[in-house]
Amino acid sequence: MARLRRLLTVSNLLFIALLLLRLIPDRALRVQDHFEYTTYFAIALEAVMLAVTLTTKNDRIRHVFTDVIGFLFAFLCAWTLATAKFKVLNEAVFPPPGAVFQAMAVDVKVMFANIGSSLVLVFRGYVLALVIAIPLGLFLGWNVRVGSAAGYISKFLASISPIVYIPYFIVLLPTFRSASVAVMFMAAFWPTLASTMSGVLGVEKRILDSAKTLGVGHGTMLFRVVLPAALPQIFIGCNQGLSVSFILLTSAEMIGARSGMGYYVNNYANFGNYTRALAGVFVIGIVVTVITFFFNILQRWLLRWKR
Amino acid sequence: MAKIEIKNLRAEYVEKLDRFVALDDVSLDINEGEFVSIIGSSGCGKSTLLSILQGLNFPAGGSVTIDGKPITGTGRDRGVVFQHYSLFPWMNARNNIAFGVKQVRRGLKRRERYEVADAFLERVGLSEFTRKYPHQLSGGMQQRVAIARALAMDTDILLMDEPFGAIDAKNRTIMQELLLKLWDGEERRKTVVFVTHDIDEAIFLSDKIVMLSNSPGTVVKEIDVPFARPRDHAELVQTEGYFKLRNEMMSLLFSSVGDRIGGTEVVI
Ligand SMILES: Nc1ncnc2c1ncn2[C@@H]1O[C@H](COP(=O)(O)OP(=O)(O)O)[C@@H](O)[C@H]1O
Ligand SMILES: [Mg+2]
């Protein structure tokens, strides 16, 4: 009984409402709706939600899933109504959702190849940024005098959009691909550097004193004491860098790329195929959500010592 | 020659143009294997004195030597326990100890360091908590780990700054007895400098008590504690002379504070 009552949620009502939209006849559009694809997508979401609702005892997780998926159902209802059913929005740039889902299904192979290409790009730039920014930030932050100057300089540089550098990268770097990696690098480098330096400056004196009294050497002090103590702060920059990287993916793939999700979106948007462009945007959103999810798990594991 | 010799020590804190004298003309000898408590009201400079012995602060005048050599900084001959935050929050109990051991005993293999850590955790009664992080342990347990680390590092000298200051009365007596048992049980007793503001604690633990007065801190009196070891709380209060010593210290502590502030009541 209690479980049944759990099913009577706004999200489930929205799911039924979405399915019932089928009863309203479609208008004639330039891009025809494929409502069955919206239905498949909704059923998949509903299945995930039901599985989570009926298995987990953790209220917080259950609420997050129910609310997010409920929001998606509401969004799909509104979108279908505003396009296919009542044609409120401009049909040139607002394709109906079923058409977008159909494009995703048709292009699934191409999408996977493009996701792979984009992830390699982001991964190279991001890892390179962290590998340089974190040790550099530790070193600069640890030398207080250099650190405070570097703090101002890096704040100034962080405020410049990496897009500004694109022409310079193209001139200076051997390939277009490396110029794209450089944009990804820049997106993650400054936030990580700035947060590492402020993390180092914020390490509690008592922790440092304790380490000194153990007689630790310079290397140990920096990498086994200062680094972990500053890690919660460093992660703030890493998170920020990761989101900026994905935001700039489309710009990075404007530089002579022939593959990648950003390229896919750019390409179809340029030719006015907004169905496919939106399908690409959707897929990027899903990929970013999945990556952020795993990144958060990694972060929670590395910071498991925090209360 | 005494293990630690402090001569006419002066300590200052300089902030912008202000110069604050925290300790003035402190002279004190501490012998090898001696358990010495530093007692005084809060703000009298106990932690300052200890931080100079730790090598985290430096004298503005006078001299401090260990084995005849001036202190030039922190050193692997001194183990330290603070009131809070001696442990690293990102290491579990045994890693905290193994990390400390690694710094002083370079020859040990990783596995041997963990054996040492586990052995000392057992001695402080924390065998079941070896893999807990500091935030998962109570304040008293954290201090046990910190003491275990200091002992496992097997330094000549132990410097402790109110290690039981934040522990409730019952656990505090348990910790005091544990500390004495561990210290007594060593083949070669360590030289201990123990800061406290608790008279009973000082009497129970020490061979010698050094009383400091307030701003600037200076030695009011050195008191030898004559009671036989091993000690235990219940027996000690029955011992002849215990209350006499306690009362004497009480009035000394109050008068050294009272002199400077005109005799009004003071919370120590
Ligand atoms: N870092 C510091 N800067 C300025 N003054 C300090 C500093 N540390 C301690 N003092 C001052 O020195 C005096 C002695 O402090 P402390 O040694 O911590 O005393 P206790 O440990 O006996 O309570 C106090 O008046 C305190 O305010
Ligand atoms: Mg103090």
Side-chain angles (χ1 to χ4, degrees):
Chain A
M1 215 26 229
R3 281 198 174 180
L4 278 182
R5 189 159 321 135
R6 263 199 220 165
L7 292 179
L8 196 69
T9 58
V10 177
S11 300
N12 281 328
L13 295 179
L14 283 168
F15 172 65
I16 292 164
L18 182 60
L19 296 187
L20 290 179
L21 288 187
R22 168 173 293 273
L23 302 178
I24 308 173
D26 280 356
R27 298 283 182 91
L29 293 174
R30 265 199 343 198
V31 181
Q32 240 2 83
D33 195 13
H34 291 270
F35 191 73
E36 64 277 16
Y37 283 94
T38 311
T39 318
Y40 302 149
F41 185 68
I43 290 173
L45 283 179
E46 178 72 12
V48 170
M49 187 168 78
L50 283 184
V52 172
T53 328
L54 295 178
T55 52
T56 183
K57 290 198 182 68
N58 183 330
D59 276 349
R60 205 181 62 85
I61 292 179
R62 213 178 69 224
H63 290 155
V64 168
F65 267 88
T66 324
D67 294 353
V68 168
I69 291 175
F71 176 81
L72 281 174
F73 288 152
F75 178 71
L76 289 177
C77 283
W79 188 4
T80 308
L81 287 172
T83 53
K85 305 303 177 190
F86 296 108
K87 218 168 149 182
V88 184
L89 295 170
N90 182 336
E91 60 177 314
V93 288
F94 289 102
V100 173
F101 289 126
Q102 193 226 12
M104 275 163 73
V106 170
D107 259 5
V108 70
K109 267 206 186 120
V110 182
M111 293 265 196
F112 267 110
N114 284 321
I115 291 170
S117 160
S118 288
L119 288 186
V120 169
L121 189 68
V122 174
F123 190 76
R124 281 201 189 138
Y126 190 69
V127 169
L128 197 63
L130 296 205
V131 164
I132 297 177
I134 294 174
L136 188 64
L138 283 180
F139 174 77
L140 293 176
W142 189 237
N143 297 288
V144 177
R145 173 118 186 235
V146 191
S148 37
Y152 287 108
I153 295 171
S154 78
K155 284 214 181 74
F156 171 76
L157 290 172
S159 69
I160 301 171
S161 164
I163 295 172
V164 175
Y165 302 124
I166 289 179
Y168 298 93
F169 291 151
I170 293 176
V171 171
L172 292 174
L173 295 171
T175 59
F176 284 142
R177 181 78 174 169
S178 55
S180 302
V181 173
V183 175
M184 296 290 92
F185 173 84
M186 280 299 188
F189 183 77
W190 296 115
T192 309
L193 182 68
S195 77
T196 306
M197 286 194 298
S198 76
V200 173
L201 292 172
V203 176
E204 276 203 65
K205 185 175 174 295
R206 289 183 283 196
I207 296 240
L208 298 178
D209 279 351
S210 179
K212 282 184 205 159
T213 63
L214 296 180
V216 300
H218 285 298
T220 311
M221 183 62 133
L222 220 47
F223 289 101
R224 302 250 2 237
V225 178
V226 175
L227 176 62
L231 201 57
Q233 187 72 28
I234 293 175
F235 259 112
I236 294 175
C238 294
N239 278 321
Q240 197 189 329
L242 194 63
S243 15
V244 178
S245 291
F246 277 106
I247 291 171
L248 291 183
L249 183 63
T250 11
S251 309
E253 287 178 346
M254 281 198 295
I255 314 170
R258 282 279 162 270
S259 63
M261 286 314 293
Y263 163 75
Y264 183 97
V265 172
N266 283 330
N267 193 32
Y268 283 114
N270 289 341
F271 287 105
N273 186 341
Y274 288 97
T275 313
R276 284 213 148 75
L278 281 185
V281 169
F282 239 72
V283 169
I284 292 179
I286 294 169
V287 170
V288 170
T289 309
V290 171
I291 288 179
T292 315
F293 178 78
F294 285 110
F295 194 74
N296 282 340
I297 289 181
L298 174 73
Q299 175 173 354
R300 227 173 301 147
W301 183 75
L302 282 173
L303 299 182
R304 64 195 178 285
W305 50 271
K306 298 260 311 173
R307 69 224 70 213
Chain B
M1 185 179 64
K3 180 80 180 168
I4 304 173
E5 292 185 356
I6 304 170
K7 285 205 187 73
N8 312 112
L9 172 67
R10 183 180 164 89
E12 298 174 348
Y13 288 106
V14 182
E15 273 177 1
K16 291 181 190 144
L17 295 176
D18 278 345
R19 182 186 296 259
F20 176 78
V21 181
L23 293 171
D24 194 24
D25 202 19
V26 172
S27 293
L28 179 65
D29 282 354
I30 295 168
N31 293 318
E32 174 133 35
E34 210 173 18
F35 198 123
V36 175
S37 288
I38 313 282
I39 196 167
S41 53
S42 64
C44 76
K46 304 183 294 294
S47 296
T48 306
L49 177 57
L50 216 62
S51 70
I52 289 173
L53 294 176
Q54 285 154 0
L56 294 169
N57 257 331
F58 295 92
S63 71
V64 182
T65 60
I66 293 175
D67 294 325
K69 290 187 281 288
I71 296 175
T72 54
T74 57
R76 292 173 181 158
D77 55 341
R78 284 155 279 158
V80 171
V81 180
F82 297 105
Q83 182 173 357
H84 294 294
Y85 297 100
S86 305
L87 303 175
F88 300 120
W90 55 88
M91 294 182 194
N92 64 26
R94 79 201 288 255
N95 279 332
N96 258 293
I97 298 177
F99 181 78
V101 171
K102 186 180 179 183
Q103 308 312 316
V104 282
R105 293 161 72 182
R106 293 280 163 185
L108 290 190
K109 295 200 177 63
R110 188 185 164 82
R111 192 176 46 80
E112 292 168 325
R113 293 197 297 266
Y114 281 125
E115 279 167 14
V116 173
D118 289 341
F120 274 90
L121 280 169
E122 194 182 339
R123 287 172 72 179
V124 296
L126 290 179
S127 292
E128 281 157 42
F129 298 88
T130 53
R131 286 167 204 259
K132 295 277 188 218
Y133 287 94
H135 83 269
Q136 296 170 308
L137 300 170
S138 71
M141 288 174 171
Q142 289 178 24
Q143 291 307 79
R144 282 173 196 243
V145 179
I147 289 170
R149 183 174 73 182
L151 292 175
M153 288 170 68
D154 198 21
T155 52
D156 285 356
I157 298 173
L158 272 184
L159 304 171
M160 309 178 118
D161 191 352
E162 304 198 34
F164 310 142
I167 299 174
D168 64 277
K170 181 175 160 245
N171 276 303
R172 181 189 272 240
T173 29
I174 294 173
M175 294 291 289
Q176 291 162 357
E177 290 183 351
L178 176 70
L179 176 62
L180 265 202
K181 203 179 91 198
L182 292 173
W183 174 75
D184 244 347
E186 304 249 342
E187 289 158 40
R188 208 164 60 96
R189 280 183 181 170
K190 295 182 190 315
T191 311
V192 182
V193 184
F194 186 100
V195 165
T196 179
H197 57 246
D198 178 335
I199 292 177
D200 294 301
E201 182 167 84
I203 298 177
F204 176 69
L205 294 172
S206 323
D207 296 318
K208 183 161 85 182
I209 300 172
V210 177
M211 194 169 279
L212 293 187
S213 68
N214 240 340
S215 34
T218 189
V219 177
V220 179
K221 190 160 189 188
E222 289 183 35
I223 301 151
D224 286 316
V225 183
F227 309 120
R229 297 181 189 271
R231 295 175 187 163
D232 95 60
H233 275 103
E235 259 177 53
L236 193 63
V237 293
Q238 310 276 331
T239 311
E240 207 184 303
Y242 177 79
F243 280 102
K244 189 166 162 285
L245 180 62
R246 192 177 185 280
N247 288 337
E248 185 192 340
M249 286 182 58
M250 215 38 152
S251 57
L252 263 175
L253 205 52
F254 274 100
S255 69
S256 76
V257 178
D259 279 351
R260 289 177 194 278
I261 55 160
T264 43
E265 196 188 335
V266 188
V267 180
I268 293 171

